Coordinates of all heavy atoms in Angstrom, one line a residue:
M965 N -106.8 -71.0 18.4 CA -107.5 -70.7 19.7 C -108.6 -71.8 20.0 O -108.8 -72.2 21.1 CB -108.1 -69.3 19.6 CG -107.1 -68.2 19.7 SD -106.0 -68.3 21.1 CE -107.3 -68.1 22.4
M966 N -109.3 -72.2 19.0 CA -110.3 -73.2 19.2 C -109.7 -74.6 19.6 O -110.2 -75.3 20.5 CB -111.2 -73.4 17.9 CG -112.4 -74.3 18.2 SD -113.5 -74.3 16.7 CE -114.1 -72.6 16.8
M967 N -108.6 -74.9 19.0 CA -107.9 -76.1 19.4 C -107.4 -76.0 20.8 O -107.5 -77.0 21.6 CB -106.7 -76.4 18.5 CG -107.1 -76.8 17.1 SD -105.7 -76.7 15.9 CE -104.9 -78.3 16.2
F968 N -106.9 -74.9 21.2 CA -106.5 -74.6 22.6 C -107.6 -74.9 23.6 O -107.5 -75.6 24.6 CB -105.9 -73.2 22.8 CG -105.6 -72.9 24.2 CD1 -104.5 -73.3 24.8 CD2 -106.6 -72.2 24.9 CE1 -104.2 -73.0 26.1 CE2 -106.3 -71.8 26.3 CZ -105.1 -72.2 26.9
H969 N -108.8 -74.3 23.3 CA -109.9 -74.4 24.3 C -110.5 -75.7 24.3 O -111.0 -76.1 25.4 CB -110.9 -73.3 23.9 CG -110.5 -71.9 24.3 ND1 -110.3 -71.5 25.6 CD2 -110.3 -70.8 23.5 CE1 -109.9 -70.3 25.6 NE2 -109.9 -69.8 24.4
K970 N -110.4 -76.5 23.2 CA -111.1 -77.8 23.2 C -110.2 -78.9 23.8 O -110.6 -80.1 23.9 CB -111.5 -78.2 21.8 CG -112.8 -77.4 21.3 CD -113.2 -77.9 20.0 CE -114.6 -77.3 19.6 NZ -115.7 -77.8 20.4
A971 N -108.9 -78.6 24.1 CA -107.9 -79.6 24.5 C -107.6 -79.5 26.0 O -107.5 -78.4 26.5 CB -106.7 -79.6 23.6
D972 N -107.3 -80.7 26.6 CA -106.8 -80.7 28.0 C -105.3 -80.8 28.0 O -104.7 -80.7 29.0 CB -107.4 -82.0 28.7 CG -108.9 -81.9 28.9 OD1 -109.4 -80.8 29.1 OD2 -109.5 -83.0 28.9
S973 N -104.7 -81.1 26.8 CA -103.3 -81.4 26.8 C -102.8 -81.3 25.4 O -103.6 -81.2 24.4 CB -102.9 -82.7 27.4 OG -103.7 -83.7 26.7
F974 N -101.5 -81.3 25.2 CA -100.9 -81.1 23.8 C -99.8 -82.1 23.6 O -99.0 -82.3 24.5 CB -100.4 -79.7 23.7 CG -101.4 -78.6 23.9 CD1 -101.5 -78.0 25.2 CD2 -102.3 -78.2 23.0 CE1 -102.5 -77.1 25.5 CE2 -103.3 -77.3 23.2 CZ -103.4 -76.7 24.5
V975 N -99.7 -82.6 22.4 CA -98.7 -83.5 22.0 C -98.1 -83.1 20.6 O -98.9 -82.7 19.7 CB -99.2 -84.9 21.9 CG1 -98.1 -85.9 21.2 CG2 -99.5 -85.5 23.2
A976 N -96.8 -83.1 20.5 CA -96.2 -82.8 19.2 C -95.5 -84.1 18.7 O -94.6 -84.6 19.3 CB -95.1 -81.7 19.3
L977 N -96.0 -84.7 17.6 CA -95.4 -85.8 16.9 C -94.4 -85.1 15.9 O -94.4 -83.9 15.7 CB -96.4 -86.6 16.2 CG -97.3 -87.5 17.0 CD1 -98.4 -88.1 16.1 CD2 -96.5 -88.6 17.7
P978 N -93.7 -85.9 15.2 CA -92.8 -85.3 14.1 C -93.7 -84.5 13.1 O -94.8 -84.9 12.8 CB -92.2 -86.5 13.5 CG -92.0 -87.5 14.6 CD -93.3 -87.3 15.3
G979 N -93.1 -83.5 12.5 CA -93.8 -82.6 11.6 C -92.9 -81.6 11.0 O -91.7 -81.6 11.3
G980 N -93.5 -80.6 10.3 CA -92.7 -79.6 9.7 C -92.8 -78.2 10.5 O -93.0 -78.2 11.7
I981 N -92.6 -77.1 9.7 CA -92.6 -75.8 10.4 C -93.9 -75.5 11.1 O -93.9 -74.8 12.1 CB -92.2 -74.7 9.3 CG1 -91.8 -73.4 10.0 CG2 -93.3 -74.6 8.3 CD1 -90.5 -73.4 10.6
G982 N -95.0 -75.9 10.5 CA -96.3 -75.7 11.2 C -96.4 -76.4 12.5 O -96.9 -75.8 13.5
T983 N -96.0 -77.6 12.5 CA -96.0 -78.4 13.8 C -95.1 -77.7 14.8 O -95.5 -77.5 16.0 CB -95.5 -79.8 13.6 OG1 -96.3 -80.5 12.6 CG2 -95.4 -80.6 14.8
L984 N -93.9 -77.3 14.4 CA -93.0 -76.6 15.3 C -93.6 -75.3 15.8 O -93.5 -75.0 17.0 CB -91.7 -76.3 14.5 CG -90.6 -75.4 15.3 CD1 -90.1 -76.2 16.5 CD2 -89.4 -75.1 14.4
E985 N -94.2 -74.5 14.9 CA -94.8 -73.2 15.3 C -95.9 -73.4 16.4 O -96.0 -72.7 17.4 CB -95.4 -72.5 14.1 CG -95.9 -71.1 14.3 CD -97.4 -71.1 14.6 OE1 -98.1 -72.1 14.2 OE2 -97.9 -70.1 15.1
E986 N -96.7 -74.4 16.2 CA -97.8 -74.6 17.1 C -97.3 -75.2 18.4 O -97.8 -74.8 19.5 CB -98.8 -75.6 16.5 CG -99.6 -75.0 15.3 CD -100.5 -76.0 14.6 OE1 -100.0 -77.1 14.3 OE2 -101.6 -75.7 14.3
L987 N -96.3 -76.0 18.4 CA -95.7 -76.5 19.6 C -95.1 -75.4 20.4 O -95.3 -75.2 21.6 CB -94.6 -77.6 19.3 CG -93.7 -77.9 20.4 CD1 -94.4 -78.5 21.6 CD2 -92.6 -78.9 19.9
V988 N -94.3 -74.6 19.8 CA -93.6 -73.5 20.4 C -94.6 -72.5 21.0 O -94.4 -71.9 22.1 CB -92.6 -72.8 19.5 CG1 -92.0 -71.5 20.1 CG2 -91.4 -73.7 19.2
E989 N -95.7 -72.2 20.3 CA -96.7 -71.3 20.8 C -97.3 -71.8 22.2 O -97.4 -71.1 23.1 CB -97.8 -71.1 19.8 CG -98.8 -70.0 20.2 CD -99.6 -69.6 19.0 OE1 -100.2 -70.4 18.4 OE2 -99.6 -68.4 18.7
Q990 N -97.6 -73.1 22.2 CA -98.1 -73.7 23.5 C -97.0 -73.6 24.6 O -97.4 -73.4 25.8 CB -98.6 -75.1 23.3 CG -99.9 -75.1 22.5 CD -101.0 -74.2 23.0 OE1 -101.1 -73.9 24.2 NE2 -101.9 -73.8 22.1
L991 N -95.8 -73.9 24.3 CA -94.7 -73.8 25.3 C -94.6 -72.4 25.8 O -94.4 -72.1 27.0 CB -93.4 -74.2 24.6 CG -93.3 -75.7 24.3 CD1 -91.9 -76.0 23.6 CD2 -93.4 -76.6 25.5
T992 N -94.8 -71.4 24.9 CA -94.7 -70.0 25.3 C -95.9 -69.6 26.2 O -95.7 -68.9 27.2 CB -94.7 -69.1 24.0 OG1 -93.6 -69.4 23.2 CG2 -94.5 -67.6 24.4
W993 N -97.1 -70.0 25.8 CA -98.2 -69.7 26.7 C -98.1 -70.3 28.0 O -98.4 -69.7 29.0 CB -99.5 -70.2 26.0 CG -99.9 -69.5 24.7 CD1 -99.2 -68.4 24.2 CD2 -100.9 -69.8 23.8 NE1 -99.8 -68.0 23.0 CE2 -100.9 -68.9 22.8 CE3 -101.9 -70.8 23.8 CZ2 -101.8 -68.9 21.7 CZ3 -102.8 -70.8 22.8 CH2 -102.8 -69.8 21.7
A994 N -97.6 -71.5 28.1 CA -97.3 -72.2 29.4 C -96.3 -71.4 30.2 O -96.4 -71.2 31.4 CB -97.0 -73.6 29.3
Q995 N -95.2 -71.0 29.5 CA -94.1 -70.3 30.1 C -94.6 -69.0 30.7 O -94.1 -68.5 31.8 CB -93.0 -70.0 29.0 CG -91.8 -69.3 29.6 CD -90.9 -68.9 28.4 OE1 -91.3 -68.3 27.4 NE2 -89.6 -69.2 28.6
L996 N -95.6 -68.3 30.1 CA -96.1 -67.1 30.5 C -97.3 -67.3 31.5 O -97.9 -66.3 32.0 CB -96.6 -66.3 29.3 CG -95.5 -65.8 28.3 CD1 -96.2 -65.1 27.1 CD2 -94.5 -64.9 29.0
G997 N -97.5 -68.5 31.9 CA -98.6 -68.8 32.9 C -100.0 -68.7 32.4 O -100.9 -68.6 33.2
R998 N -100.2 -68.9 31.1 CA -101.5 -68.7 30.5 C -102.3 -70.0 30.6 O -103.5 -70.1 30.4 CB -101.4 -68.2 29.1 CG -100.7 -66.9 28.9 CD -101.1 -65.9 29.9 NE -102.5 -65.5 29.7 CZ -103.1 -64.7 30.5 NH1 -102.6 -64.2 31.6 NH2 -104.4 -64.3 30.3
H999 N -101.6 -71.2 30.8 CA -102.3 -72.4 31.0 C -101.4 -73.4 31.7 O -100.2 -73.2 31.8 CB -102.8 -73.0 29.6 CG -101.7 -73.6 28.8 ND1 -101.1 -74.9 29.0 CD2 -101.0 -73.1 27.7 CE1 -100.2 -75.1 28.1 NE2 -100.1 -74.1 27.3
R1000 N -102.1 -74.5 32.3 CA -101.4 -75.5 33.0 C -101.6 -76.9 32.3 O -101.3 -77.9 32.9 CB -101.9 -75.6 34.5 CG -101.7 -74.3 35.2 CD -102.3 -74.4 36.6 NE -101.7 -75.3 37.5 CZ -102.1 -75.6 38.7 NH1 -103.2 -75.1 39.2 NH2 -101.5 -76.5 39.4
K1001 N -102.0 -76.8 31.1 CA -102.2 -78.1 30.4 C -100.8 -78.7 30.0 O -100.0 -78.0 29.5 CB -103.0 -77.8 29.1 CG -104.4 -77.2 29.4 CD -105.1 -76.8 28.1 CE -106.4 -76.1 28.5 NZ -107.2 -75.8 27.3
P1002 N -100.6 -80.0 30.2 CA -99.3 -80.6 29.9 C -99.0 -80.6 28.5 O -99.9 -80.8 27.6 CB -99.4 -82.0 30.5 CG -100.9 -82.3 30.5 CD -101.6 -80.9 30.8
V1003 N -97.7 -80.5 28.2 CA -97.2 -80.6 26.8 C -96.2 -81.7 26.7 O -95.2 -81.8 27.5 CB -96.5 -79.3 26.4 CG1 -96.0 -79.4 24.9 CG2 -97.5 -78.1 26.5

Side-chain angles (χ1 to χ4, degrees):
M965 289 303 299
M966 189 172 291
M967 291 168 80
F968 171 83
H969 285 297
K970 285 185 172 290
D972 295 326
S973 54
F974 305 94
V975 169
L977 289 172
I981 193 76
T983 301
L984 176 62
E985 185 265 341
E986 290 173 314
L987 166 62
V988 170
E989 190 161 56
Q990 290 307 331
L991 293 176
T992 302
W993 292 355
Q995 183 188 47
L996 296 175
R998 305 312 296 171
H999 72 80
R1000 298 174 69 185
K1001 302 175 182 183
V1003 178

